[in-house]
Amino acid sequence: MNNIAILTSGLSRGSNFESIANFFKDRDDVNISFVLITRKKAPIIQRCEKFGIPHFFISTKNYELFEENLLKKIKKEKITLIVLAGFMRKLSENFIKNSVPIINIHPALLPKFGGKNMFGSAVHKAVFNAKEKESGVTVHLVNDNYDSGKILNQQKINISDCSNPEEIGKRVLELEHQIYPETIEKICNGEIKLNFQRK
Ligand code: GAR
C-alpha cells in the first residue's frame, strides 16, 4: 500500500487534489492519507469532505515548527510519497533529507518559466508574453531550489491559438488533471523510478 500526503497552501483551489482523489477513489493500492492545509478555513476542505479524505491543519507562522510538525505527521501516518498540489512555499533542505520523496507539478515546460514567484497565473502570463507556441506540464522531484529537481514526466500542448494567459492556463490545467494522477500511479507501481537518496 502506498500512503500519499497532499500538501496545499492557503487558498489553494484544490483542482489537482480533486483529480487525484477521483483517480484513486476505488483503488486499494494508493491511499490519500491526508491533505495538509495551512489555513483553518481553506476552500479545499469542502473537496476533502466530498471524498471523505482527512485534512490536517498546521500553521506556517513559525516555519521551522511547521516543518517539524509535518515531519511527525508524515512518520506517524507512514507516508511513502508527498505530493505538492498548489503548495507554494519552499521546503528546507533539512525537511527534504529527513522526509520521503516529494513531487511537484508545475504548469509549464521546465526548466523554462520556473523559479521563485513563478506559480499559477504568473507562469501563464510569462509564457504568453514570451509568445510561446507550446506550453505544458512538468512533474518533478522536489529539491531545495524552486522547480529544479529531476523531471519525472513532462507533456507539451499547442497554445499557438490562445489569445490570452487565461486560455493558456485553462488548457494547461486540463492537462495537469490528467498527467498528475497518472504520474503518481507510475511512481507507486515502480514504472517511474525516483532514485531518491537521503543526503
Ligand atoms: C496548479 O496549476 C499548479 O500547477 C500550480 O498551482 C496550481 C494549483 O491549482 N503550481 C505551481 O505553479 C507551482 N510552481 P489547484 O489548487 O487547483 O491544484
Side-chain angles (χ1 to χ4, degrees), residues 13-16 86 88 104-107 118-120 147 173 176:
R13 184 174 48 181
S15 71
N16 275 292
M88 302 306 178
N104 182 42
I105 191 160
H106 187 77
M118 284 302 252
F119 49 81
D147 302 323
L173 191 64
E176 291 186 49

Side-chain angles (χ1 to χ4, degrees), residues 8-9 11-19 44 47 84-88 104-108 113-115 117-121 123-124 137-138 140 146-147 169 172-173 176-177 180:
T8 67
S9 274
L11 295 172
S12 273
R13 184 174 48 181
S15 71
N16 275 292
F17 157 70
E18 180 146 359
S19 73
I44 197 173
R47 297 201 198 224
L84 307 190
F87 183 78
M88 302 306 178
N104 182 42
I105 191 160
H106 187 77
F113 305 106
N117 298 326
M118 284 302 252
F119 49 81
S121 56
V123 178
H124 306 306
V137 170
T138 308
H140 64 94
Y146 282 108
D147 302 323
V172 169
L173 191 64
E176 291 186 49
H177 295 162
Y180 216 8

